[in-house]
């Protein structure tokens, strides 16, 4: 499948000025060019509102339907510049698509979106839907074939997803939803701003649907931000790595195996292992770097947070996929107790559809984004406890441009 819209990927290291370039781009655009700026963070919504010379409007629920989606559609009809969050944009439907077509909007996507998800149905539900002949599967794609199904009936959510043409039957066990690619084709121009795009699920999604994309980086010449040809050798990774003092010592023993501290490992920990990992985190902060609670951020798999929380750092947790927040930019003592792999269902879904994935690059990408929430964003050194041997290796390979 070939699509007409070509995606502009602004792939630039954290702190290089991606958002500043976007604000400059929007401020200098002619009046007839309209923008929809989508970001995962309310903090960025405020920044766009405060720093752009054009008037941007945020969708709200002050309408008859009490719906932000209704508000978004009304703003498009009225030709407004719009700033909103990923969560609203992910619920795009055919009506929104119709309003966007030919409306002259440029989409700026601040960070990648979650564009695939496992539908909330069981294997038994799928078996029943097939037996009742409500659905059929053609080349892995699920089609809804029941003409008189009630809108509010039990499987109405499945019906809506299937009718959108973006529901897949995966390995005889799961229904996988994918964001409708037609939405991207409804824009005159699309910019995706992120770092290490090759690692992102959104890139695999674009490959799945046959989108083309061009890479750029942001360069600041002292006065202006410019898009330049992508060149990872210009990122000066070694300078960032020099600011990270990675712990090397006995506390790393818990992460020596390649898959240690993975999601499976963390969910299956015995009580003894929980105590051991918790003790090592505590010992690192208390004895190795002598940090106080106000100096610390730490993370692990969300499901293991409660078990691994300990005295002195329990309130310093920052989720492992955190991006674009400045709230922790004074923190210098970090512990990343996680070994990141792509979810097996996501990995299998893309690979079954002929799209290669890079788990190692995904892991280091999320690690770097998390580290950058600390004071390293201000050019100040940090201390890092990274007990997974795999994650330490990947960080070094990134710094040496090997990945």
């Amino acid at each position: 499948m070939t699509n007409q819209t070509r995606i502009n990927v602004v792939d630039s290291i954290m702190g290089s000025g991606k958002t500043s370039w976007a604000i400059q781009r929007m401020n200098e655009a002619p009046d007839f060019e309209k923008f929809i700026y989508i970001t995962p963070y309310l903090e960025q919504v405020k920044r766009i509102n405060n720093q752009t010379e054009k008037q941007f409007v945020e969708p709200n629920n002050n309408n008859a339907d009490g719906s932000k989606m209704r508000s978004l559609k009304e703003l498009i009809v009225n030709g407004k510049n719009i700033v909103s969050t990923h969560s609203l944009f992910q619920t795009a439907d055919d009506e929104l698509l119709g309003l966007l077509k030919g409306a002259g909007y440029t989409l700026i996507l601040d960070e990648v979106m979650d564009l695939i998800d496992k539908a909330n149905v069981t294997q038994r539900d799928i078996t029943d839907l097939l037996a009742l002949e409500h659905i059929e599967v053609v080349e892995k794609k699920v089609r809804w074939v029941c003409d008189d199904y009630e809108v509010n009936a039990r499987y109405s959510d499945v019906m809506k997803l299937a009718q959108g043409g973006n529901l897949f039957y995966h390995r005889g066990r799961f229904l996988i939803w994918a964001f409708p690619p037609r939405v991207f084709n409804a824009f005159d121009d699309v910019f995706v701003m992120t770092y290490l795009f090759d690692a992102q699920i959104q890139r695999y999604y674009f490959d799945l649907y046959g989108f083309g994309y061009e890479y750029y980086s942001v360069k600041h010449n002292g006065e202006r931000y410019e898009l330049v040809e992508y060149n990872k050798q210009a990122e000066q990774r070694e300078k960032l790595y020099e600011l990270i003092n990675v712990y090397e010592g006995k506390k790393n023993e818990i992460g020596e195996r390649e898959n240690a501290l993975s999601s499976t490992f963390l969910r299956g920990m015995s009580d003894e292992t929980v105590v051991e990992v918790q003790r090592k985190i505590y010992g690192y902060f208390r004895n190795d770097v002598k940090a106080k609670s106000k100096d610390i951020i730490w993370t692990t798999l969300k499901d293991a947070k409660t078990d691994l929380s300990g005295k002195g750092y329990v309130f310093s947790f920052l989720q492992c996929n955190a991006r674009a927040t400045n709230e922790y930019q004074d923190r210098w003592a970090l512990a990343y107790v996680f070994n990141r792999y792509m979810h097996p269902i996501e990995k299998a879904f893309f690979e079954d559809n002929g799209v290669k994935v890079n788990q190692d690059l995904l892991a280091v990408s999320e690690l770097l984004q998390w580290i950058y929430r600390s004071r390293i964003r201000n050019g100040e050194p940090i201390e890092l406890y990274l007990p997974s041997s795999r994650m330490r290796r990947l960080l070094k390979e990134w710094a040496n441009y090997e990945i």
Side-chain angles (χ1 to χ4, degrees):
M1 174 179 173
T2 302
N3 296 270
Q4 292 182 348
T5 298
R6 191 165 184 84
I7 311 297
N8 303 288
V9 178
V10 184
D11 191 325
S12 213
I13 198 166
M14 303 80 65
S16 58
K18 293 187 290 291
T19 304
S20 295
W21 167 82
I23 291 171
Q24 175 186 285
R25 166 81 170 79
M26 293 185 291
N27 283 340
E28 295 178 352
D31 292 339
F32 62 79
E33 185 176 7
K34 294 170 289 186
F35 293 91
I36 295 182
Y37 190 100
I38 301 295
T39 175
Y41 309 106
L42 292 175
E43 188 176 323
Q44 289 292 78
V45 170
K46 294 177 182 177
R47 182 178 176 187
I48 296 302
N49 275 321
N50 293 335
Q51 296 186 13
T52 49
E53 296 170 7
K54 295 178 182 292
Q55 183 179 4
F56 275 77
V57 184
E58 186 180 356
N60 58 61
N61 52 16
N62 298 328
N63 53 64
D65 295 345
S67 163
K68 285 190 176 182
M69 178 54 71
R70 174 54 53 193
S71 175
L72 174 60
K73 292 172 181 176
E74 291 172 352
L75 292 173
I76 292 171
V77 169
N78 293 318
K80 300 294 186 181
N81 293 302
I82 301 163
V83 58
S84 185
T85 59
H86 283 187
S87 57
L88 176 59
F89 196 62
Q90 282 168 319
T91 59
D93 56 17
D94 286 343
E95 184 182 10
L96 181 69
L97 180 67
L99 294 173
L100 284 171
K101 281 184 177 178
Y105 275 97
T106 291
L107 173 66
I108 298 182
L109 198 56
D110 186 354
E111 288 302 345
V112 292
M113 288 172 54
D114 292 329
L115 294 174
I116 69 164
D117 197 10
K118 180 176 174 288
N120 189 26
V121 292
T122 66
Q123 190 170 357
R124 176 61 183 272
D125 291 333
I126 300 169
T127 302
D128 289 346
L129 285 165
L130 288 166
L132 292 167
E133 297 184 346
H134 288 346
I135 64 172
E136 65 178 9
V137 179
V138 179
E139 295 181 351
K140 300 180 182 178
K141 186 170 286 189
V142 178
R143 293 180 180 174
W144 189 267
V145 292
C146 179
D147 294 331
D148 56 352
Y149 199 75
E150 295 182 13
V151 174
N152 295 317
R154 180 179 177 183
Y155 297 116
S156 59
D157 288 345
V158 177
M159 177 182 69
K160 292 173 185 175
L161 294 175
Q163 288 174 339
N166 300 288
L167 197 61
F168 296 85
Y169 190 36
H170 178 55
R171 293 196 172 184
R173 297 173 59 197
F174 307 105
L175 294 186
I176 302 291
W177 165 85
F179 183 80
R182 295 170 296 159
V183 175
F184 290 106
N185 279 326
F187 289 94
D188 286 8
D189 227 343
V190 176
F191 293 90
V192 178
M193 303 191 304
T194 189
Y195 179 52
L196 296 180
F197 180 71
D198 276 351
Q200 310 298 339
I201 287 175
Q202 186 155 352
R203 187 216 126 185
Y204 306 140
Y205 167 91
F206 284 149
D207 288 349
L208 176 68
Y209 283 106
F211 282 94
Y213 39 87
E214 296 180 2
Y215 288 85
Y216 301 93
S217 295
V218 172
K219 181 179 180 181
H220 187 217
N221 63 17
E223 297 181 358
R224 294 181 52 78
Y225 293 90
E226 299 174 349
L227 287 190
V228 297
E229 183 178 350
Y230 175 75
N231 176 15
K232 72 178 184 181
Q233 300 295 330
E235 292 173 0
Q236 298 183 314
R237 297 177 178 183
E238 60 281 357
K239 287 189 175 181
L240 190 67
Y241 188 69
E242 286 172 1
L243 295 174
I244 306 172
N245 184 28
V246 181
Y247 170 83
E248 299 287 354
K250 289 188 176 182
K251 291 183 177 65
N252 286 337
E253 291 173 355
I254 57 170
E256 282 309 304
R257 294 203 321 270
E258 182 75 1
N259 65 344
L261 302 174
S262 65
S263 297
T264 302
F265 177 101
L266 291 167
R267 289 193 180 103
M269 287 185 296
S270 65
D271 292 343
E272 293 80 5
T273 302
V274 167
V275 171
E276 180 186 6
V277 176
Q278 187 187 74
R279 186 171 64 244
K280 291 185 186 304
I281 299 171
Y282 173 81
Y284 173 75
F285 285 134
R286 179 69 183 270
N287 302 319
D288 290 280
V289 296
K290 298 178 173 56
K292 298 179 180 179
S293 180
K294 64 181 179 63
D295 304 319
I296 292 168
I297 52 174
W298 76 285
T299 199
T300 188
L301 182 71
K302 186 179 179 181
D303 291 351
K305 173 187 173 183
T306 300
D307 284 343
L308 296 184
S309 292
K311 181 181 178 182
Y313 64 90
V314 62
F315 298 115
S316 302
F317 184 84
L318 176 63
Q319 65 270 25
C320 55
N321 60 348
R323 295 169 179 252
T325 176
N326 299 324
E327 186 178 349
Y328 303 92
Q329 61 179 317
D330 58 339
R331 308 295 175 98
W332 57 268
L334 285 64
Y336 190 96
V337 188
F338 189 32
N339 186 3
R340 176 71 161 97
Y341 288 92
M342 181 181 287
H343 194 288
I345 293 175
E346 293 176 342
K347 179 175 182 290
F349 172 70
F350 284 117
E351 291 184 341
D352 285 359
N353 285 282
V355 178
K356 292 183 178 180
V357 302
N358 187 334
Q359 293 214 84
D360 288 348
L361 197 60
L362 173 67
V364 79
S365 169
E366 291 202 356
L367 170 63
L368 288 164
Q369 289 285 355
W370 186 84
I371 288 172
Y372 206 72
R373 300 313 108 211
S374 71
R375 75 178 189 184
I376 200 171
R377 66 187 300 113
N378 302 319
E380 298 179 79
I382 61 168
E383 304 287 335
L384 175 63
Y385 179 43
L386 188 62
S388 164
S389 62
R390 171 177 172 262
M391 296 299 287
R392 289 197 306 278
R393 170 176 58 80
L394 294 178
L395 183 60
K396 291 177 182 177
E397 289 177 358
W398 168 83
N400 292 326
Y401 301 92
E402 297 169 1
I403 187 171

